[in-house]
Amino acid sequence: MTELDDFKQEVATWLDGNCPPSMRRPITTEEMVWGSSRLQFQTEDQKLWFERMRERGWFAPSWPKEYGGGGLNPKQNRVLETEMAKRGCRQPQYNLGVWMLGPVLLEAGTHEQKLEHLVPMMKGQRRWCQGFSEPNAGSDLASLKTSARLEKSEGGEDCYVVNGGKIWTSDGDKADWMYALVRTDSSSKKQNGISFLLIDMKSPGVTVKPIELISGKSSFCQVFFDEVRVPVRQLVGKEGEGWTLGKKLLQHERAAMSKFTEGGAPSADALAVTLQYVDRDADGKLEDAALRQRLAGVLMDAQSFTLTHRRVTEMALARKDVSGPGSIMKLVQTEQEVTKYELLEQAMGLRGLGWDGEDFSAEELDLCRTWLRTKTYTIAGGSSEVQLNIIAKRVLDLPA
Ligand SMILES: Cc1cc2nc3c(=O)[nH]c(=O)nc-3n(C[C@H](O)[C@H](O)[C@H](O)COP(=O)(O)OP(=O)(O)OC[C@H]3O[C@@H](n4cnc5c(N)ncnc54)[C@H](O)[C@@H]3O)c2cc1C
């Protein structure tokens, strides 16, 4: 037995003994536990699972123990992921900070910033939102205009004074802090004048307005900054390094998005709901040959995605550059989700279009919402067209 085999055995025993059965069922959006200063649990099992994983530092198993992580090496981390996946264990907390900001802070943050921000993330106490997009800076993010002017202080702490606003900020009204890209210099090339700031959402001058969509209330917010004072110690990296750090963060976002779709939309479950409404012959085979063929295609694509995902993970473990594959994975995964749910919806007919009411089961209602949500995945974190541009330029080296 190697050390890794011992570790695998230990993890398997621990998960079997500590992950409550209800935390091994596919999760719905409503059941996600978001790390926050206003942490909420719906069940005792959620709380138990959250606390047990937190104690082991397994909210971020590979982060250093010093900052609340589990201190696992990449191979041990992979073992834990695999053992959790085998048992269908849920993520104990959802947190943009852990998926996106944390890896950037580990690389570019100071020791003080890591202690100030990573430790509360690892306790599940702080919810983060992302302040990148602006009304005229989405795909063309480098055009952002929210300004941060440095103000020196006599005796006190120097501050950046932030003015402007962000849009499409997911859950901005629930967040404790925002990581934001701001303009600290408008005289140089647009990419060079951007800096990466951490902003306390309780600061005077921050206003958050939820955005209503045609479908009703959404998780989107617009955030306004009016002379918001942010201490210079909340600048990550150097002034003007925001573009480089922002791009790194987006790579982590794109990688994490494959986990969102797994978490929010368990396909095996959705498939089971759909198949109740599909005619089968005496052998259990789907009667509609066209549907059978399309479904088989979707499942085969999903399987090849899973295998490719594993290969890219191995590349990352071997410390190879996976920024190109990251864009490919984001593009393929999110487009596949759209194709899959379009097909399930077609197979369900009217049963797939329930929005509320007692005529529909919770699974049917969830399927309809997931179908609509999959379309947003192809925009969030950089649209499919933008991923195609990145792949053309950075992976295929095609001329601009
Ligand atoms: C669910 C969801 C959550 C989000 N959460 C956040 C968040 O928390 N924080 C945040 O900062 N932002 C967030 N966003 C915003 C998201 O990053 C932007 O919507 C996205 O970058 C696109 O920008 P835009 O909406 O301004 O569209 P635009 O940039 O105006 O694009 C409009 C269309 O033109 C296409 N297009 C634009 N430029 C090109 C080009 N060069 N070549 C080819 N096609 C092009 C795009 O693909 C798109 O189809 C979220 C978006 C969604 C959908």
Side-chain angles (χ1 to χ4, degrees), residues 75 215 270 299 321 345:
K75 284 191 176 152
S215 54
L299 294 175
D321 177 15
E345 280 291 311

Side-chain angles (χ1 to χ4, degrees), residues 96 130-135 137-140 167-170 220 376-377 379-386 389:
L96 292 201
Q130 174 169 306
F132 283 14
S133 306
E134 294 181 10
S139 301
D140 182 16
I167 197 164
W168 310 127
T169 315
S170 300
F220 289 131
T376 70
Y377 296 144
I379 303 171
S383 68
S384 289
E385 290 79 8
V386 166
N389 285 347

Side-chain angles (χ1 to χ4, degrees), residues 163-373:
N163 281 288
K166 298 287 173 184
I167 197 164
W168 310 127
T169 315
S170 300
D171 297 314
D173 52 347
K174 301 187 187 78
D176 301 299
W177 280 73
M178 169 190 275
Y179 52 87
L181 292 179
V182 293
R183 185 158 297 288
T184 39
D185 177 7
S186 40
S187 61
S188 56
K189 189 178 155 211
K190 61 183 181 180
Q191 283 83 355
N192 295 345
I194 295 173
S195 298
F196 195 110
L197 269 193
L198 307 177
I199 304 176
D200 185 341
M201 296 292 278
K202 290 187 298 303
S203 313
V206 176
T207 310
V208 183
K209 290 201 173 144
I211 299 176
E212 286 227 352
L213 298 180
I214 195 163
S215 54
K217 195 177 168 338
S218 75
S219 60
F220 289 131
C221 293
Q222 196 158 5
V223 182
F224 301 92
F225 303 105
D226 180 12
E227 293 286 292
V228 176
R229 302 181 73 78
V230 181
V232 285
R233 66 167 196 280
Q234 303 299 356
L235 173 76
V236 183
K238 295 198 185 72
E239 198 178 281
E241 270 184 2
W243 185 245
T244 308
L245 295 176
K247 278 197 300 188
K248 285 193 177 161
L249 188 136
L250 285 171
Q251 279 171 20
H252 295 298
E253 174 169 9
R254 285 161 197 162
M257 279 186 72
S258 57
K259 293 197 173 150
F260 283 168
T261 44
E262 272 170 33
S267 54
D269 228 38
L271 196 60
V273 175
T274 309
L275 291 179
Q276 296 170 46
Y277 297 103
V278 174
D279 293 331
R280 308 203 195 196
D281 65 18
D283 300 327
K285 207 160 80 175
L286 304 191
E287 274 185 357
D288 180 341
L291 176 65
R292 207 164 59 223
Q293 201 170 4
R294 287 173 68 200
L295 196 55
V298 161
L299 294 175
M300 282 161 74
D301 284 347
Q303 177 64 4
S304 30
F305 180 86
T306 304
L307 295 174
T308 312
H309 193 268
R310 213 170 283 168
R311 186 159 55 80
V312 175
T313 308
E314 293 302 326
M315 283 168 68
L317 285 179
R319 308 219 177 278
K320 293 192 180 149
D321 177 15
V322 288
S323 50
S327 275
I328 298 173
M329 302 304 279
K330 196 266 174 185
L331 173 76
V332 174
Q333 162 89 357
T334 53
E335 291 293 339
Q336 272 187 7
E337 286 290 299
V338 171
T339 312
K340 182 169 69 193
Y341 278 91
E342 289 284 343
L343 181 62
L344 298 185
E345 280 291 311
Q346 281 173 23
M348 298 263 299
L350 283 178
R351 298 299 310 169
L353 295 175
W355 189 251
D356 51 26
E358 286 166 10
D359 290 345
F360 295 93
S361 69
E363 289 80 13
E364 287 168 345
L365 296 176
D366 198 50
L367 194 132
C368 179
R369 283 176 162 70
T370 307
W371 165 56
L372 292 172
R373 203 169 39 245

Side-chain angles (χ1 to χ4, degrees), residues 54 59 63-69 93 95 98 102 105-106 111-126 128:
R54 181 182 60 191
F59 285 162
W63 289 10
K65 287 196 167 163
E66 189 182 7
Y67 303 126
Q93 83 151 334
N95 196 323
V98 179
L105 276 185
L106 280 173
H111 176 62
E112 289 69 29
Q113 283 172 335
K114 289 174 195 168
L115 287 178
E116 183 178 354
H117 296 295
L118 299 184
V119 173
M121 267 180 221
M122 289 301 95
K123 292 187 177 159
Q125 291 170 337
R126 191 169 286 176
W128 287 84

